[in-house]
Amino acid sequence: GEDGSTRQYQKAASSSTCGDASGTKPFLGNVSPFNPMLLVTTIPHAHEGPAWCASFSLDGRFLATGGEDGNVCIWAVAPKSKTMFPNGVEVRKQEEEGTEDHQQKDASLVESDEENDKVSETCPENPSGPTPLTTVGTGPEIASNMHIVSPEPLQRYKDHTADVIDLSWSHSNFLLSASLDSSVRLYHFSKPGCLHLFKHVNLVASVAFHPNDDRYFISGGVEKKLRLWSIPDGRVKEWAQTPDVITSARFTPDAKYVVAGLF
């Protein structure tokens, strides 16, 4: 049976006011506000080989992925939503994928009429209609095959020559990518190519935008140097030596400090 200390802890936890402003109680046992957590979308063949990193833009409209193939892909989140994309979604035409089939896929992303914000009902007698949602749960049901992410990337950048292992978004939807090819590159979802190349001496393991000023970012990697870069100047403003290889680096929310993971 339970001992006295266990019962005392559970009693204290049940009466605790810790949590968010709504009074949500802390996680205990199998009780969680995130239950159930379900897989709802899979992007097949997003990269050739493993996808090493993924990051949502700060406004939630885009998803960026990077992989072993050196590609950086930007996907639209809820591409058929008028709320997220009032003017629809424009998909860059891939030169190597100019078939009629891909053009039809691209065109489907641009549609943004009222029906796109609703879940279409499919009758068994209408086999040519939209694919019905596969749902789980006892109510409210949760769809497990919702098209949350665009089936094709809005942009696929192929500038890196080695694995892309970290990504960072700015408030203005610029994207930084860190790669084992000893470089950081700057992109914007609306532009077809790399906007700037920030060269390093050795592989770069981590990159992060300044949380309050999109003009600056930090990077770190095998060189054992944490660098603060100025994007307008295209050069390092400050740097600090570390005793070991930097595997991860992030600003604190107030941008007063930077924490770095070492190996």
Side-chain angles (χ1 to χ4, degrees), residues 166-168 176-179 184-185 204-209 217-220 229 248-250:
D166 199 17
L167 299 163
S168 180
L176 289 168
S177 58
S179 173
V184 169
R185 289 181 179 269
V204 187
S206 188
V207 65
F209 265 107
F217 72 90
I218 54 171
S219 68
W229 294 79
S248 181
R250 292 293 184 267

Side-chain angles (χ1 to χ4, degrees), residues 45-83:
H45 312 298
H47 292 270
E48 294 182 8
W52 295 131
C53 52
S55 178
F56 281 107
S57 62
L58 300 182
D59 61 7
R61 297 171 61 217
F62 304 102
L63 171 69
T65 60
E68 183 184 49
D69 55 7
N71 291 355
V72 175
C73 296
I74 297 181
W75 314 78
V77 178
K80 295 183 179 182
S81 168
K82 281 187 175 181
T83 301

